Amino acid sequence: MAGAKEIRGKIKSIKNTQKITKAMEMVAASKMRKAQERMRASRPYAEKIQTVLSHLAQANPEYKHPYLETREDIKRVGFIVVSTDRGLCGGLNTNMFKAAVTQMIDWDKKGAEVDVCAIGKKAGSFFKRFKCNLVAHTENLGDQPAHDELIGTVKVMLDAYDAGKIDRLFVVYNEFVNTMTQTPRVHQLIPVESSQDKALDHHWDYIYEPEAKPIIDGLMMRFIESQVYQGVVENVASEMSARMIAMKSATDNAGDLIKDLQTVYNKARQAAITQEISEIVSGAAAV
Amino acid sequence: MAMTVHIDVVSAENSIFSGTVTEIYAPAEMGEVGIHPRHTQMLTRLKPGTVRVIDQQGKEQTFYVSGGILEVQPHVVTVLSDTAVRAADLDESAALEAKSRAEAALADKKSDLDYAHARAELLEAVAQLDAIKKLKKRK
């Protein structure tokens, strides 16, 4: 049995770790609240613009925007992967990478090459090691991501699509379901998926005022912006709640460990005392 | 029962209104449009102004939008606005201040860029004041 002193040292070091995880849990909890608010605020816009675009994809417009056309022959696909900048948030990033890689392998089997655009430090370092083509990378977006910082990264992918280098674009991020659950989501950005609304299943078109092209172009730009932005803020909200949960279980585990070690320590101390007494008694008997 | 249409007014920051109404008026780029249920599909840009809706009880509600896009489907209308506020939440003094600031900027036009910016700002402020005025008149 280890000496009482060594055990005492171990308990102390675990207590220090517990203090840190506890502090991180509380920081994550307070950040989570703000991140969730931000995500909830922009969610309706992102959802509605998606609906409008899916209607548009089902229409037969006079002006067909390139993002609405499905290309048959797919040679190369693009992925925008949104990850966190920092670790210690449980299996959040790993699960998302797994979902992304599964999709990428599927495309690889179909003979399409894969381009990746990484948002966040973790995605950057992961896809550098992974056998794929990393075309753009941005990190340190912070907890309040700004629209214009994202646009540059996304622009690379959009330009590639316009130039016909990639034929499909996906965005991968963690969707915030609730504090306990976050699910990785692979979402097709372009070409825009059409709605499966039966009522619209005939030949129709919008009335455009004043003209189709500027409206649809503007709408597309806003759509891409809002979808990527939404992906990033959802991911931040997911990161904060995942970190809070991870740190909470770390704190609890440290508590359990301390409890077990305390028992071992008490036993060791008791054993030492018993031994001392028996030594004294036998010494006295010998005299 | 009167025919109704569902409308969603959302801005980049929030969902402003969602409900069933009988009439909608919106400031489209080519002039104000009135939309009744079963209107044919339409897509248009909005300029700064007020969106008015009349609900099933015949009550009118006003929202201020700073521009955006209006999508009309026969049974659902979506207003995607850059910023939208309920007219009742608008700040009259702030709007007046913005108006005078924009007018001052227009008066000494230095560059074209400033000019265009100031013009847009002035239009927005005037539209906001307009929304407030409309709201007050009804009270």
Side-chain angles (χ1 to χ4, degrees):
Chain A
M1 196 175 274
K5 201 166 174 228
E6 283 159 44
I7 298 173
R8 211 161 44 211
K10 241 185 213 166
I11 291 177
K12 193 135 187 254
S13 102
I14 293 171
K15 266 189 183 152
N16 282 335
T17 315
Q18 193 187 27
K19 270 182 210 155
I20 296 169
T21 55
K22 183 91 189 156
M24 282 183 79
E25 179 195 334
M26 291 201 286
V27 170
S30 86
K31 278 191 181 169
M32 181 185 76
R33 226 163 291 138
K34 273 183 227 146
Q36 276 185 28
E37 264 166 38
R38 216 169 295 126
M39 176 208 72
R40 288 226 173 81
S42 57
R43 213 182 225 181
Y45 189 89
E47 276 170 6
K48 286 299 161 204
I49 202 161
Q50 169 86 59
T51 326
V52 171
L53 260 290
S54 66
H55 286 157
L56 190 65
Q58 217 179 1
N60 303 279
E62 50 186 76
Y63 163 65
K64 202 92 169 141
H65 195 281
Y67 296 171
L68 293 173
E69 275 171 74
T70 313
R71 295 175 188 166
E72 290 305 324
D73 184 25
I74 293 161
K75 288 193 208 71
R76 197 173 262 273
V77 290
F79 279 89
I80 297 176
V81 183
V82 183
S83 80
T84 66
D85 274 332
R86 276 165 292 177
L88 290 180
C89 47
L92 191 74
N93 286 321
T94 327
N95 288 340
M96 196 222 352
F97 292 150
K98 222 182 266 168
V101 168
T102 320
Q103 286 268 328
M104 287 174 194
I105 289 171
D106 277 355
W107 283 110
D108 199 48
K109 276 186 193 146
K110 285 182 205 160
E113 284 179 80
V114 176
D115 273 1
V116 175
C117 156
I119 297 178
K121 229 179 236 168
K122 292 287 158 188
S125 58
F126 179 82
F127 286 105
K128 251 174 226 158
R129 276 182 280 124
F130 190 67
K131 190 183 76 106
C132 71
N133 191 10
L134 186 65
V135 290
H137 179 208
T138 181
E139 56 186 39
N140 288 331
L141 286 171
D143 300 336
Q144 288 163 282
H147 269 280
D148 39 339
E149 274 179 90
L150 295 173
I151 294 308
T153 334
V154 177
K155 194 90 181 29
V156 177
M157 280 302 188
L158 296 183
D159 287 347
Y161 188 88
D162 289 339
K165 275 187 211 139
I166 57 171
D167 305 301
R168 226 161 246 222
L169 182 58
F170 295 90
V171 55
V172 192
Y173 60 89
N174 279 297
E175 192 181 22
F176 182 89
V177 183
N178 55 43
T179 314
M180 296 300 287
T181 357
Q182 298 88 31
T183 43
R185 180 160 182 243
V186 184
H187 174 58
Q188 183 174 322
L189 211 55
I190 37 185
V192 178
E193 279 175 295
S194 75
S195 75
Q196 301 301 318
D197 198 339
K198 280 272 164 21
L200 297 173
D201 217 3
H202 55 87
H203 195 92
W204 62 277
D205 191 12
Y206 286 103
I207 302 171
Y208 300 96
E209 273 186 33
E211 257 179 75
K213 193 172 182 307
I215 298 178
I216 294 180
D217 283 351
L219 194 60
M220 269 314 163
M221 223 32 238
R222 267 180 223 193
F223 169 70
I224 304 288
E225 267 175 39
S226 82
Q227 294 298 308
V228 175
Y229 178 77
Q230 189 61 27
V232 174
V233 289
E234 293 241 354
N235 202 64
V236 172
S238 302
E239 176 193 353
M240 291 310 162
S241 32
R243 178 166 303 132
M244 190 185 86
I245 301 297
M247 287 303 119
K248 187 166 168 41
S249 65
T251 313
D252 292 350
N253 285 346
D256 289 347
L257 217 53
I258 290 170
K259 220 164 120 194
D260 287 350
L261 279 178
Q262 194 72 52
T263 323
V264 176
Y265 169 72
N266 286 348
K267 271 188 190 150
R269 199 177 66 106
Q270 196 60 54
I273 292 167
T274 315
Q275 199 187 351
E276 216 171 290
I277 290 173
S278 69
E279 271 167 16
I280 292 168
V281 169
S282 57
V287 170
Chain B
M1 205 183 103
M3 280 204 292
T4 55
V5 58
H6 186 85
I7 179 170
D8 290 297
V9 183
V10 294
S11 78
E13 290 109 33
N14 226 334
S15 165
I16 307 294
F17 179 79
S18 171
T20 315
V21 297
T22 56
E23 276 172 57
I24 298 158
Y25 300 95
E29 210 173 46
M30 307 279 283
E32 193 173 73
V33 288
I35 291 149
H36 283 249
R38 317 267 164 98
H39 191 289
T40 187
Q41 286 93 350
M42 185 174 83
L43 203 56
T44 179
R45 268 198 304 227
L46 297 177
K47 56 185 184 184
T50 48
V51 173
R52 285 182 295 141
V53 298
I54 294 172
D55 65 15
Q56 282 160 298
Q57 280 81 45
K59 267 211 240 148
E60 194 185 69
Q61 291 209 50
T62 2
F63 313 100
Y64 165 76
V65 293
S66 69
I69 288 169
L70 171 77
E71 192 226 12
V72 181
Q73 289 283 343
H75 298 282
V76 56
V77 174
T78 316
V79 179
L80 296 167
S81 119
D82 302 336
T83 47
V85 242
R86 280 176 188 275
D89 298 339
L90 278 178
D91 185 352
E92 188 173 3
S93 56
L96 271 174
E97 197 184 301
K99 188 184 167 204
S100 57
R101 199 173 50 227
E103 275 170 346
L106 273 181
D108 66 339
K109 40 188 163 186
K110 278 181 206 134
S111 66
D112 287 342
L113 191 76
D114 277 357
Y115 186 74
H117 188 75
R119 233 184 103 80
E121 217 166 86
L122 180 65
L123 274 179
E124 245 178 63
V126 170
Q128 281 191 7
L129 286 172
D130 210 38
I132 296 168
K133 212 188 286 164
K134 266 187 202 149
L135 189 77
K136 275 193 180 154
K137 215 187 288 165
R138 247 180 310 122
K139 278 177 188 165

